[in-house]
Amino acid sequence: MNKILLIISFIALTSLQAQAAGNPVPGNDNQGKVVKFYPNPANSYIIFDLQGHQQKGMTLSIYSFLGKKMYETQSLTEKNTVQLAEYNRGMYIFYLTDAAGKVIDTGKFQVSR
Protein backbone atom coordinates (compact mmCIF):
# COMPACT_ATOMS: atom_id res chain seq x y z
CA MET A 1 0.00 0.00 0.00
CA ASN A 2 2.84 2.41 0.85
CA LYS A 3 4.52 1.67 -2.48
CA ILE A 4 1.33 2.52 -4.39
CA LEU A 5 0.94 5.78 -2.46
CA LEU A 6 4.57 6.64 -3.14
CA ILE A 7 4.17 5.96 -6.88
CA ILE A 8 0.98 8.05 -7.11
CA SER A 9 2.66 10.89 -5.21
CA PHE A 10 5.66 10.77 -7.56
CA ILE A 11 3.43 10.90 -10.67
CA ALA A 12 1.41 13.80 -9.27
CA LEU A 13 4.56 15.74 -8.31
CA THR A 14 6.15 15.15 -11.72
CA SER A 15 3.00 16.35 -13.47
CA LEU A 16 2.83 19.52 -11.34
CA GLN A 17 6.51 20.27 -11.93
CA ALA A 18 6.10 19.88 -15.69
CA GLN A 19 3.13 22.25 -15.71
CA ALA A 20 4.96 24.81 -13.55
CA ALA A 21 8.00 24.66 -15.83
CA GLY A 22 5.87 25.15 -18.92
CA ASN A 23 6.74 21.74 -20.29
CA PRO A 24 4.03 19.64 -21.88
CA VAL A 25 2.65 16.84 -19.75
CA PRO A 26 2.82 13.48 -21.55
CA GLY A 27 -0.49 12.90 -23.31
CA ASN A 28 -1.45 16.60 -23.08
CA ASP A 29 0.00 17.61 -26.49
CA ASN A 30 0.12 21.32 -25.52
CA GLN A 31 -3.65 21.67 -25.72
CA GLY A 32 -4.73 25.28 -25.60
CA LYS A 33 -1.36 26.59 -26.82
CA VAL A 34 -1.48 28.94 -29.79
CA VAL A 35 2.27 28.96 -30.47
CA LYS A 36 4.56 26.00 -30.98
CA PHE A 37 8.24 26.94 -31.01
CA TYR A 38 11.26 24.89 -31.98
CA PRO A 39 14.07 23.95 -31.74
CA ASN A 40 14.45 24.38 -28.01
CA PRO A 41 17.22 24.82 -27.04
CA ALA A 42 18.06 26.89 -30.11
CA ASN A 43 21.43 27.81 -31.60
CA SER A 44 21.11 30.09 -34.64
CA TYR A 45 17.35 30.46 -35.12
CA ILE A 46 13.98 29.64 -33.57
CA ILE A 47 10.68 29.09 -35.36
CA PHE A 48 7.35 30.26 -33.93
CA ASP A 49 4.51 28.30 -35.52
CA LEU A 50 1.12 29.96 -34.99
CA GLN A 51 -0.71 26.94 -36.45
CA GLY A 52 -3.29 29.00 -38.32
CA HIS A 53 -4.08 31.26 -35.36
CA GLN A 54 -2.51 34.42 -36.79
CA GLN A 55 -4.75 37.45 -36.78
CA LYS A 56 -4.29 41.06 -37.77
CA GLY A 57 -2.71 43.16 -35.08
CA MET A 58 -0.98 40.35 -33.22
CA THR A 59 2.50 41.10 -31.86
CA LEU A 60 5.34 38.70 -31.06
CA SER A 61 7.82 40.05 -28.51
CA ILE A 62 10.96 38.40 -27.13
CA TYR A 63 12.64 39.50 -23.90
CA SER A 64 15.84 38.43 -22.22
CA PHE A 65 15.42 36.85 -18.81
CA LEU A 66 16.55 40.20 -17.34
CA GLY A 67 13.71 42.04 -19.11
CA LYS A 68 15.51 43.60 -22.10
CA LYS A 69 13.35 43.63 -25.25
CA MET A 70 15.28 41.71 -27.90
CA TYR A 71 12.73 41.45 -30.71
CA GLU A 72 9.25 42.59 -31.66
CA THR A 73 7.18 42.20 -34.81
CA GLN A 74 3.59 42.65 -35.92
CA SER A 75 4.22 41.13 -39.35
CA LEU A 76 3.29 37.60 -38.36
CA THR A 77 2.71 34.68 -40.68
CA GLU A 78 1.85 31.09 -39.86
CA LYS A 79 5.59 30.26 -39.40
CA ASN A 80 7.96 32.97 -38.16
CA THR A 81 11.73 32.46 -38.01
CA VAL A 82 13.80 34.63 -35.68
CA GLN A 83 17.57 34.72 -36.21
CA LEU A 84 19.50 34.49 -32.94
CA ALA A 85 22.93 35.82 -34.02
CA GLU A 86 22.66 38.80 -31.63
CA TYR A 87 21.41 36.71 -28.70
CA ASN A 88 23.69 35.61 -25.88
CA ARG A 89 23.48 32.18 -24.37
CA GLY A 90 20.64 32.00 -21.85
CA MET A 91 16.90 31.97 -21.29
CA TYR A 92 14.43 34.14 -23.21
CA ILE A 93 10.71 34.73 -22.81
CA PHE A 94 8.25 35.39 -25.63
CA TYR A 95 4.79 36.95 -25.55
CA LEU A 96 2.13 36.81 -28.24
CA THR A 97 -0.40 39.62 -27.78
CA ASP A 98 -3.56 40.56 -29.65
CA ALA A 99 -4.39 44.00 -31.07
CA ALA A 100 -5.71 45.15 -27.67
CA GLY A 101 -2.45 44.14 -25.93
CA LYS A 102 -3.93 41.08 -24.19
CA VAL A 103 -1.42 38.23 -23.83
CA ILE A 104 -2.62 35.28 -25.90
CA ASP A 105 0.33 32.95 -25.30
CA THR A 106 3.72 33.02 -23.64
CA GLY A 107 6.64 30.68 -23.23
CA LYS A 108 10.35 30.43 -22.66
CA PHE A 109 13.20 29.07 -24.70
CA GLN A 110 16.92 28.63 -24.32
CA VAL A 111 19.73 29.78 -26.57
CA SER A 112 22.76 27.51 -26.28
CA ARG A 113 25.98 27.97 -28.20
PDB file of all heavy atoms in Angstrom, residues 27-48:
ATOM      1  N   GLY A  27       0.913  13.137 -22.998  1.00  0.00           N
ATOM      2  CA  GLY A  27      -0.485  12.898 -23.309  1.00  0.00           C
ATOM      3  C   GLY A  27      -1.298  14.178 -23.424  1.00  0.00           C
ATOM      4  O   GLY A  27      -2.441  14.157 -23.846  1.00  0.00           O
ATOM      5  N   ASN A  28      -0.718  15.337 -23.048  1.00  0.00           N
ATOM      6  CA  ASN A  28      -1.447  16.600 -23.079  1.00  0.00           C
ATOM      7  C   ASN A  28      -1.328  17.278 -24.444  1.00  0.00           C
ATOM      8  O   ASN A  28      -2.208  18.013 -24.854  1.00  0.00           O
ATOM      9  CB  ASN A  28      -0.926  17.532 -21.973  1.00  0.00           C
ATOM     10  CG  ASN A  28      -1.818  18.721 -21.740  1.00  0.00           C
ATOM     11  OD1 ASN A  28      -2.931  18.790 -22.247  1.00  0.00           O
ATOM     12  ND2 ASN A  28      -1.334  19.666 -20.965  1.00  0.00           N
ATOM     13  N   ASP A  29      -0.228  17.073 -25.146  1.00  0.00           N
ATOM     14  CA  ASP A  29      -0.004  17.611 -26.486  1.00  0.00           C
ATOM     15  C   ASP A  29      -0.182  19.124 -26.568  1.00  0.00           C
ATOM     16  O   ASP A  29      -0.634  19.655 -27.574  1.00  0.00           O
ATOM     17  CB  ASP A  29      -0.906  16.926 -27.521  1.00  0.00           C
ATOM     18  CG  ASP A  29      -0.586  15.463 -27.667  1.00  0.00           C
ATOM     19  OD1 ASP A  29       0.565  15.080 -27.467  1.00  0.00           O
ATOM     20  OD2 ASP A  29      -1.511  14.716 -27.977  1.00  0.00           O
ATOM     21  N   ASN A  30       0.165  19.850 -25.518  1.00  0.00           N
ATOM     22  CA  ASN A  30       0.123  21.318 -25.520  1.00  0.00           C
ATOM     23  C   ASN A  30      -1.256  21.854 -25.877  1.00  0.00           C
ATOM     24  O   ASN A  30      -1.378  22.846 -26.574  1.00  0.00           O
ATOM     25  CB  ASN A  30       1.158  21.878 -26.496  1.00  0.00           C
ATOM     26  CG  ASN A  30       2.381  22.381 -25.789  1.00  0.00           C
ATOM     27  OD1 ASN A  30       2.364  22.590 -24.574  1.00  0.00           O
ATOM     28  ND2 ASN A  30       3.442  22.582 -26.533  1.00  0.00           N
ATOM     29  N   GLN A  31      -2.305  21.218 -25.413  1.00  0.00           N
ATOM     30  CA  GLN A  31      -3.654  21.666 -25.720  1.00  0.00           C
ATOM     31  C   GLN A  31      -3.842  23.078 -25.190  1.00  0.00           C
ATOM     32  O   GLN A  31      -3.424  23.406 -24.100  1.00  0.00           O
ATOM     33  CB  GLN A  31      -4.680  20.728 -25.105  1.00  0.00           C
ATOM     34  CG  GLN A  31      -4.672  19.372 -25.746  1.00  0.00           C
ATOM     35  CD  GLN A  31      -5.630  18.415 -25.052  1.00  0.00           C
ATOM     36  OE1 GLN A  31      -6.240  18.739 -24.060  1.00  0.00           O
ATOM     37  NE2 GLN A  31      -5.728  17.223 -25.600  1.00  0.00           N
ATOM     38  N   GLY A  32      -4.485  23.914 -26.000  1.00  0.00           N
ATOM     39  CA  GLY A  32      -4.728  25.284 -25.598  1.00  0.00           C
ATOM     40  C   GLY A  32      -3.611  26.238 -25.976  1.00  0.00           C
ATOM     41  O   GLY A  32      -3.761  27.441 -25.831  1.00  0.00           O
ATOM     42  N   LYS A  33      -2.475  25.730 -26.430  1.00  0.00           N
ATOM     43  CA  LYS A  33      -1.363  26.586 -26.820  1.00  0.00           C
ATOM     44  C   LYS A  33      -1.586  27.070 -28.252  1.00  0.00           C
ATOM     45  O   LYS A  33      -1.975  26.318 -29.120  1.00  0.00           O
ATOM     46  CB  LYS A  33      -0.028  25.838 -26.744  1.00  0.00           C
ATOM     47  CG  LYS A  33       0.347  25.381 -25.356  1.00  0.00           C
ATOM     48  CD  LYS A  33       0.549  26.517 -24.389  1.00  0.00           C
ATOM     49  CE  LYS A  33       1.976  26.983 -24.398  1.00  0.00           C
ATOM     50  NZ  LYS A  33       2.227  28.078 -23.480  1.00  0.00           N
ATOM     51  N   VAL A  34      -1.333  28.347 -28.468  1.00  0.00           N
ATOM     52  CA  VAL A  34      -1.481  28.936 -29.788  1.00  0.00           C
ATOM     53  C   VAL A  34      -0.171  28.830 -30.557  1.00  0.00           C
ATOM     54  O   VAL A  34      -0.163  28.627 -31.760  1.00  0.00           O
ATOM     55  CB  VAL A  34      -1.912  30.420 -29.662  1.00  0.00           C
ATOM     56  CG1 VAL A  34      -1.935  31.107 -31.006  1.00  0.00           C
ATOM     57  CG2 VAL A  34      -3.270  30.513 -28.986  1.00  0.00           C
ATOM     58  N   VAL A  35       0.948  28.937 -29.844  1.00  0.00           N
ATOM     59  CA  VAL A  35       2.266  28.965 -30.474  1.00  0.00           C
ATOM     60  C   VAL A  35       3.033  27.694 -30.131  1.00  0.00           C
ATOM     61  O   VAL A  35       3.136  27.321 -28.968  1.00  0.00           O
ATOM     62  CB  VAL A  35       3.085  30.177 -29.977  1.00  0.00           C
ATOM     63  CG1 VAL A  35       4.457  30.194 -30.620  1.00  0.00           C
ATOM     64  CG2 VAL A  35       2.361  31.477 -30.247  1.00  0.00           C
ATOM     65  N   LYS A  36       3.563  27.053 -31.173  1.00  0.00           N
ATOM     66  CA  LYS A  36       4.557  26.005 -30.984  1.00  0.00           C
ATOM     67  C   LYS A  36       5.880  26.621 -31.411  1.00  0.00           C
ATOM     68  O   LYS A  36       5.933  27.326 -32.424  1.00  0.00           O
ATOM     69  CB  LYS A  36       4.257  24.780 -31.843  1.00  0.00           C
ATOM     70  CG  LYS A  36       3.151  23.922 -31.305  1.00  0.00           C
ATOM     71  CD  LYS A  36       3.060  22.625 -32.081  1.00  0.00           C
ATOM     72  CE  LYS A  36       1.980  21.740 -31.504  1.00  0.00           C
ATOM     73  NZ  LYS A  36       1.875  20.472 -32.234  1.00  0.00           N
ATOM     74  N   PHE A  37       6.939  26.378 -30.663  1.00  0.00           N
ATOM     75  CA  PHE A  37       8.240  26.944 -31.008  1.00  0.00           C
ATOM     76  C   PHE A  37       9.296  25.850 -30.937  1.00  0.00           C
ATOM     77  O   PHE A  37       9.249  24.981 -30.072  1.00  0.00           O
ATOM     78  CB  PHE A  37       8.592  28.129 -30.112  1.00  0.00           C
ATOM     79  CG  PHE A  37       8.501  27.857 -28.638  1.00  0.00           C
ATOM     80  CD1 PHE A  37       9.628  27.547 -27.898  1.00  0.00           C
ATOM     81  CD2 PHE A  37       7.281  27.908 -27.984  1.00  0.00           C
ATOM     82  CE1 PHE A  37       9.544  27.293 -26.547  1.00  0.00           C
ATOM     83  CE2 PHE A  37       7.182  27.660 -26.630  1.00  0.00           C
ATOM     84  CZ  PHE A  37       8.321  27.347 -25.908  1.00  0.00           C
ATOM     85  N   TYR A  38      10.230  25.914 -31.863  1.00  0.00           N
ATOM     86  CA  TYR A  38      11.263  24.890 -31.979  1.00  0.00           C
ATOM     87  C   TYR A  38      12.396  25.429 -32.826  1.00  0.00           C
ATOM     88  O   TYR A  38      12.191  26.376 -33.578  1.00  0.00           O
ATOM     89  CB  TYR A  38      10.677  23.605 -32.603  1.00  0.00           C
ATOM     90  CG  TYR A  38       9.944  23.844 -33.915  1.00  0.00           C
ATOM     91  CD1 TYR A  38      10.626  23.793 -35.133  1.00  0.00           C
ATOM     92  CD2 TYR A  38       8.585  24.139 -33.941  1.00  0.00           C
ATOM     93  CE1 TYR A  38       9.971  24.022 -36.328  1.00  0.00           C
ATOM     94  CE2 TYR A  38       7.923  24.366 -35.126  1.00  0.00           C
ATOM     95  CZ  TYR A  38       8.620  24.312 -36.314  1.00  0.00           C
ATOM     96  OH  TYR A  38       7.965  24.552 -37.498  1.00  0.00           O
ATOM     97  N   PRO A  39      13.590  24.916 -32.724  1.00  0.00           N
ATOM     98  CA  PRO A  39      14.070  23.947 -31.737  1.00  0.00           C
ATOM     99  C   PRO A  39      14.273  24.625 -30.383  1.00  0.00           C
ATOM    100  O   PRO A  39      14.462  25.839 -30.316  1.00  0.00           O
ATOM    101  CB  PRO A  39      15.405  23.493 -32.320  1.00  0.00           C
ATOM    102  CG  PRO A  39      15.904  24.675 -33.086  1.00  0.00           C
ATOM    103  CD  PRO A  39      14.668  25.338 -33.626  1.00  0.00           C
ATOM    104  N   ASN A  40      14.211  23.860 -29.349  1.00  0.00           N
ATOM    105  CA  ASN A  40      14.452  24.379 -28.010  1.00  0.00           C
ATOM    106  C   ASN A  40      15.222  23.327 -27.235  1.00  0.00           C
ATOM    107  O   ASN A  40      14.676  22.261 -26.976  1.00  0.00           O
ATOM    108  CB  ASN A  40      13.134  24.689 -27.305  1.00  0.00           C
ATOM    109  CG  ASN A  40      13.330  25.450 -26.017  1.00  0.00           C
ATOM    110  OD1 ASN A  40      14.381  26.012 -25.775  1.00  0.00           O
ATOM    111  ND2 ASN A  40      12.311  25.454 -25.179  1.00  0.00           N
ATOM    112  N   PRO A  41      16.479  23.577 -26.909  1.00  0.00           N
ATOM    113  CA  PRO A  41      17.223  24.822 -27.040  1.00  0.00           C
ATOM    114  C   PRO A  41      17.595  25.121 -28.483  1.00  0.00           C
ATOM    115  O   PRO A  41      17.722  24.229 -29.310  1.00  0.00           O
ATOM    116  CB  PRO A  41      18.463  24.598 -26.191  1.00  0.00           C
ATOM    117  CG  PRO A  41      18.609  23.120 -26.055  1.00  0.00           C
ATOM    118  CD  PRO A  41      17.236  22.532 -26.195  1.00  0.00           C
ATOM    119  N   ALA A  42      17.748  26.411 -28.761  1.00  0.00           N
ATOM    120  CA  ALA A  42      18.058  26.891 -30.108  1.00  0.00           C
ATOM    121  C   ALA A  42      19.510  27.353 -30.184  1.00  0.00           C
ATOM    122  O   ALA A  42      20.088  27.746 -29.173  1.00  0.00           O
ATOM    123  CB  ALA A  42      17.123  28.040 -30.469  1.00  0.00           C
ATOM    124  N   ASN A  43      20.061  27.334 -31.393  1.00  0.00           N
ATOM    125  CA  ASN A  43      21.425  27.814 -31.599  1.00  0.00           C
ATOM    126  C   ASN A  43      21.457  29.067 -32.469  1.00  0.00           C
ATOM    127  O   ASN A  43      21.891  30.113 -32.016  1.00  0.00           O
ATOM    128  CB  ASN A  43      22.294  26.729 -32.240  1.00  0.00           C
ATOM    129  CG  ASN A  43      22.632  25.633 -31.269  1.00  0.00           C
ATOM    130  OD1 ASN A  43      23.008  25.899 -30.137  1.00  0.00           O
ATOM    131  ND2 ASN A  43      22.480  24.397 -31.697  1.00  0.00           N
ATOM    132  N   SER A  44      21.010  28.960 -33.714  1.00  0.00           N
ATOM    133  CA  SER A  44      21.113  30.091 -34.635  1.00  0.00           C
ATOM    134  C   SER A  44      19.766  30.691 -35.011  1.00  0.00           C
ATOM    135  O   SER A  44      19.704  31.812 -35.494  1.00  0.00           O
ATOM    136  CB  SER A  44      21.867  29.673 -35.892  1.00  0.00           C
ATOM    137  OG  SER A  44      21.219  28.577 -36.499  1.00  0.00           O
ATOM    138  N   TYR A  45      18.687  29.954 -34.808  1.00  0.00           N
ATOM    139  CA  TYR A  45      17.351  30.461 -35.122  1.00  0.00           C
ATOM    140  C   TYR A  45      16.320  29.712 -34.291  1.00  0.00           C
ATOM    141  O   TYR A  45      16.589  28.651 -33.747  1.00  0.00           O
ATOM    142  CB  TYR A  45      17.026  30.283 -36.602  1.00  0.00           C
ATOM    143  CG  TYR A  45      16.901  28.832 -37.005  1.00  0.00           C
ATOM    144  CD1 TYR A  45      15.672  28.185 -36.961  1.00  0.00           C
ATOM    145  CD2 TYR A  45      18.010  28.105 -37.405  1.00  0.00           C
ATOM    146  CE1 TYR A  45      15.560  26.845 -37.303  1.00  0.00           C
ATOM    147  CE2 TYR A  45      17.906  26.771 -37.753  1.00  0.00           C
ATOM    148  CZ  TYR A  45      16.681  26.153 -37.694  1.00  0.00           C
ATOM    149  OH  TYR A  45      16.566  24.828 -38.015  1.00  0.00           O
ATOM    150  N   ILE A  46      15.120  30.298 -34.202  1.00  0.00           N
ATOM    151  CA  ILE A  46      13.983  29.638 -33.573  1.00  0.00           C
ATOM    152  C   ILE A  46      12.760  29.933 -34.423  1.00  0.00           C
ATOM    153  O   ILE A  46      12.638  31.025 -34.989  1.00  0.00           O
ATOM    154  CB  ILE A  46      13.773  30.065 -32.105  1.00  0.00           C
ATOM    155  CG1 ILE A  46      12.700  29.190 -31.442  1.00  0.00           C
ATOM    156  CG2 ILE A  46      13.460  31.541 -31.990  1.00  0.00           C
ATOM    157  CD1 ILE A  46      12.733  29.230 -29.928  1.00  0.00           C
ATOM    158  N   ILE A  47      11.889  28.952 -34.557  1.00  0.00           N
ATOM    159  CA  ILE A  47      10.676  29.091 -35.363  1.00  0.00           C
ATOM    160  C   ILE A  47       9.473  29.142 -34.434  1.00  0.00           C
ATOM    161  O   ILE A  47       9.336  28.303 -33.542  1.00  0.00           O
ATOM    162  CB  ILE A  47      10.523  27.923 -36.356  1.00  0.00           C
ATOM    163  CG1 ILE A  47      11.692  27.916 -37.333  1.00  0.00           C
ATOM    164  CG2 ILE A  47       9.178  27.997 -37.087  1.00  0.00           C
ATOM    165  CD1 ILE A  47      11.755  26.702 -38.221  1.00  0.00           C
ATOM    166  N   PHE A  48       8.617  30.138 -34.653  1.00  0.00           N
ATOM    167  CA  PHE A  48       7.353  30.255 -33.931  1.00  0.00           C
ATOM    168  C   PHE A  48       6.248  29.900 -34.912  1.00  0.00           C
ATOM    169  O   PHE A  48       6.044  30.598 -35.902  1.00  0.00           O
ATOM    170  CB  PHE A  48       7.165  31.674 -33.391  1.00  0.00           C
ATOM    171  CG  PHE A  48       8.164  32.034 -32.332  1.00  0.00           C
ATOM    172  CD1 PHE A  48       9.345  32.668 -32.662  1.00  0.00           C
ATOM    173  CD2 PHE A  48       7.933  31.707 -31.016  1.00  0.00           C
ATOM    174  CE1 PHE A  48      10.273  32.991 -31.696  1.00  0.00           C
ATOM    175  CE2 PHE A  48       8.854  32.015 -30.032  1.00  0.00           C
ATOM    176  CZ  PHE A  48      10.026  32.664 -30.373  1.00  0.00           C
TER     177      PHE A  48
END
